[in-house]
């Protein structure tokens, strides 16, 4: 499309060209194929490690909360039944050790 305008003292004749924005790929098109592959692999590994860390943190938090709840329950039961106190503490310890081992293996 042609466009013509007059300004004081001059005439401007310009061609109108529609400009479309380029698709944004984060500059990946500027990288070699090997670099793109490496970058993609690094991002995927980081994402996997992030999910892994969240899961481990969630297991750890749940293990701590459950151990605390069992500990309180054990103390309450021990107050009612002093003869069972060593067993209640044993249950809490066994759970806590199992949770620790699971988190260590995770």
């Amino acid at each position: 499309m042609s466009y013509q305008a007059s300004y004081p003292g001059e005439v401007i004749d310009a061609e109108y060209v529609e400009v479309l924005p380029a698709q944004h790929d984060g500059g990946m098109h500027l990288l070699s194929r090997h670099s793109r592959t490496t970058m993609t692999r690094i991002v995927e590994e980081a994402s996997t490690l992030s999910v892994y860390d969240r899961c481990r943190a969630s297991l750890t938090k749940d293990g701590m909360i459950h151990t605390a709840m069992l500990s309180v329950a054990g103390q309450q039961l021990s107050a009612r039944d002093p003869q069972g106190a060593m067993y209640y503490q044993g249950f809490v310890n066994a759970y806590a050790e199992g949770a620790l081992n699971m988190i260590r293996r995770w």
Side-chain angles (χ1 to χ4, degrees):
M1 174 185 278
S2 188
Y3 178 75
Q4 194 173 42
S6 295
Y7 291 96
E10 65 181 299
V11 174
I12 298 174
D13 191 10
E15 187 70 26
Y16 172 76
V17 178
E18 186 174 350
V19 178
L20 299 174
Q23 295 295 322
H24 182 63
D25 65 356
M28 290 289 279
H29 68 282
L30 300 174
L31 300 173
S32 69
R33 182 175 183 199
H34 174 73
S35 295
R36 282 192 310 265
T37 302
T38 301
M39 183 182 247
T40 300
R41 182 182 49 79
I42 290 170
V43 169
E44 287 172 352
E45 285 178 18
S47 178
T48 300
L49 288 173
S50 177
V51 170
Y52 176 87
D53 185 59
R54 280 189 219 137
C55 290
R56 188 169 184 188
S58 179
L59 287 172
T60 302
K61 177 184 165 201
D62 288 347
M64 290 188 312
I65 289 170
H66 296 163
T67 300
M69 289 185 329
L70 290 171
S71 182
V72 168
Q75 288 172 354
Q76 290 172 347
L77 290 171
S78 294
R80 289 186 205 151
D81 178 21
Q83 293 177 337
M86 67 178 187
Y87 298 109
Y88 303 135
Q89 188 59 48
F91 291 137
V92 173
N93 291 345
Y95 176 82
E97 282 297 320
L100 281 171
N101 288 333
M102 183 183 66
I103 293 163
R104 286 181 183 126
R105 285 190 310 267
W106 177 262

